[in-house]
């Protein structure tokens, strides 16, 4: 379970993280730390619940201190509505971003939050923008809002907390039936699961994903529309043709330019060194002559946060990377040949930045496909 949750946290930039003290945000904070991140903890006390709200703030401050993380806690007074609270938090994150220079914020919304949001917007009436639900990665007010756990269920979060004996705060207002979201969570969704569709949460999340792809103009949206228009006979012909199509295995190795841009057209890779942002590595361990290469049979590496090595083939399977694409995934390798980064997916544990690192090197990567 822990590996499933932390695997979704690879390749993230330096982060602020919103921590309310509740189960979801506390679990995400622990998982980020377990995955090797050192986020700046942010907590906004809305003062809605008096002493209980103050206790939440004190809990978050103590938790950040225990983990050795920087923390910013502030208080505000806003109308007791979800919209007002959301805007207040966004303004708070923007202010902290200006002070810290960290402009990416991790939030702990889960698949359950996505399903609840979809139902709430159906009920209230919404266009396609609203029915796209919660976006996993979006820019808002100069901030990059990252929600890495939109495919993780609340039950999985609670299991993770229980297994690790991580304490968190219970917010009594989550049971207040005056809030529409709470009525959806405790009444409507259980009714729909019981009487209509046991997999209603997954169905709502899938609908939101389809709409987001359409709005973003992603190639997969056009592919889905095309597939829906195919007849059974056409699908079978396509399936047989795909089985007959030979797979070209790309193999190669290219030097990395540590002073700037490395472009590898064969892989569609644009790799650039940066003074900040992107993925951070211990430059000493990477060595003076790193390379980019393709996957080789028998390759192994130690994913960030894991204690042992893993076959790269098994890693590809876990990430659901189709077999024909695996030989086009760039691998950043150290001078001694060890895999330091499966580009776009996860860095390797031995190359992370630690308190003993004397020099840090950062890379940003963009992979385009044809």
């Amino acid at each position: 379970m822990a590996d499933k949750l932390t695997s979704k946290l690879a390749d993230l930039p330096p982060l602020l993280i919103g921590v309310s003290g509740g189960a979801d945000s506390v679990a995400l904070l622990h998982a980020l730390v377990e995955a090797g991140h050192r986020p700046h903890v942010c907590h906004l006390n809305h003062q809605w619940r008096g002493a209980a709200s103050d206790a939440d703030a004190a809990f978050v401050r103590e938790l950040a201190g225990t983990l050795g993380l920087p923390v910013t806690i502030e208080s505000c007074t806003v109308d007791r509505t979800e919209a007002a609270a959301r805007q207040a938090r966004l303004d708070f994150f923007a202010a902290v971003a200006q002070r810290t220079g960290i402009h990416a914020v991790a939030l702990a919304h889960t698949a359950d939050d996505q399903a609840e949001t979809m139902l709430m917007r159906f009920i209230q009436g919404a266009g396609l923008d609203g029915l796209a639900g919660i976006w996993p990665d979006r820019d808002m007010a100069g901030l990059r809002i990252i929600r890495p756990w939109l495919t993780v269920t609340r039950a999985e979060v609670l299991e993770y907390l229980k297994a690790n004996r991580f304490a968190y705060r219970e917010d009594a207002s989550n049971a207040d039936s005056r809030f529409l979201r709470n009525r959806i969570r405790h009444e409507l969704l259980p009714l729909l699961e019981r009487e209509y569709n046991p997999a209603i949460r997954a169905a709502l999340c899938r609908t939101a994903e389809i709409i987001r792809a359409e709005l973003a103009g992603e190639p997969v949206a056009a592919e889905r529309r095309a597939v829906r228009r195919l007849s059974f006979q056409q699908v079978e012909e396509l399936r047989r043709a795909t089985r007959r199509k030979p797979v070209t295995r790309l193999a190669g190795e290219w030097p990395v330019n540590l002073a700037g841009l490395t472009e590898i057209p064969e892989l569609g890779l644009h790799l650039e060194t940066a003074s900040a942002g992107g993925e951070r590595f211990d430059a000493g361990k990477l060595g003076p002559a790193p390379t980019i290469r393709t996957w080789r049979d028998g390759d192994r590496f130690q994913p960030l946060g894991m204690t042992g090595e893993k076959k790269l083939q098994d890693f590809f399977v876990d990430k659901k990377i189709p077999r024909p694409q695996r030989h086009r995934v760039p691998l950043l390798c150290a001078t001694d040949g060890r895999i330091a980064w499966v580009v776009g997916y996860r860095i390797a544990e031995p190359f992370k930045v630690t308190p003993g690192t004397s020099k840090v090197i950062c890379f940003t990567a963009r992979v385009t496909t044809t």
Side-chain angles (χ1 to χ4, degrees), residues 127-316:
L128 284 181
D129 284 341
L131 296 180
I134 305 171
W135 290 74
D137 195 330
R138 203 172 199 188
D139 292 334
M140 296 177 64
L143 295 170
R144 180 184 173 192
I145 309 296
I146 302 171
R147 299 176 175 94
W149 276 0
L150 279 180
T151 58
V152 173
T153 67
R154 188 166 291 129
E156 290 172 324
V157 168
L158 292 174
E159 182 181 340
Y160 170 73
L161 289 166
K162 181 179 179 181
N164 290 280
R165 298 183 179 179
F166 292 141
Y168 59 92
R169 295 278 297 171
E170 294 279 6
D171 185 345
S173 67
N174 286 335
D176 191 337
S177 61
R178 289 176 297 176
F179 293 103
L180 175 59
R181 182 179 291 275
N182 289 343
R183 295 198 300 276
I184 289 172
R185 177 179 300 175
H186 300 298
E187 300 170 11
L188 181 56
L189 266 172
L191 172 66
L192 293 173
E193 285 178 319
R194 185 173 62 251
E195 302 292 342
Y196 295 90
N197 180 0
I200 185 65
R201 297 171 197 263
L204 289 165
C205 291
R206 186 167 60 248
T207 299
E209 179 186 351
I210 291 169
I211 294 174
R212 288 197 303 273
E214 291 284 352
L215 291 175
E218 295 176 6
V220 68
E223 293 169 1
R224 286 170 177 153
R225 291 196 301 273
V227 168
R228 285 197 296 267
R229 290 193 292 266
L230 294 177
S231 67
F232 175 79
Q233 183 176 356
Q234 289 171 318
V235 170
E236 289 301 295
E237 286 293 331
L238 181 61
R239 199 164 57 84
R240 285 192 288 269
T242 302
R243 284 205 304 266
R244 292 193 299 267
K245 184 178 179 179
V247 176
T248 302
R249 177 167 177 166
L250 179 65
E253 187 167 3
W254 301 264
V256 172
N257 177 14
L258 294 178
L261 178 66
T262 301
E263 292 190 284
I264 304 175
E266 295 91 335
L267 301 178
L269 176 66
H270 304 259
L271 182 77
E272 192 165 6
T273 55
S275 57
E279 287 296 337
R280 303 165 71 243
F281 297 86
D282 185 315
K285 293 179 181 177
L286 204 57
T291 59
I292 291 288
R293 67 168 175 83
T294 53
W295 174 38
R296 297 170 183 165
D297 291 340
D299 271 342
R300 306 178 70 93
F301 87 120
Q302 184 182 351
L304 183 67
M306 292 186 62
T307 56
E309 288 191 332
K310 188 182 188 82
K311 288 183 180 179
L312 195 54
Q313 176 174 321
D314 293 340
F315 179 80
F316 286 153

Side-chain angles (χ1 to χ4, degrees), residues 37 77 82 107 206 347:
H37 298 283
T77 302
E82 187 171 336
L107 300 179
R206 186 167 60 248
I347 72 170

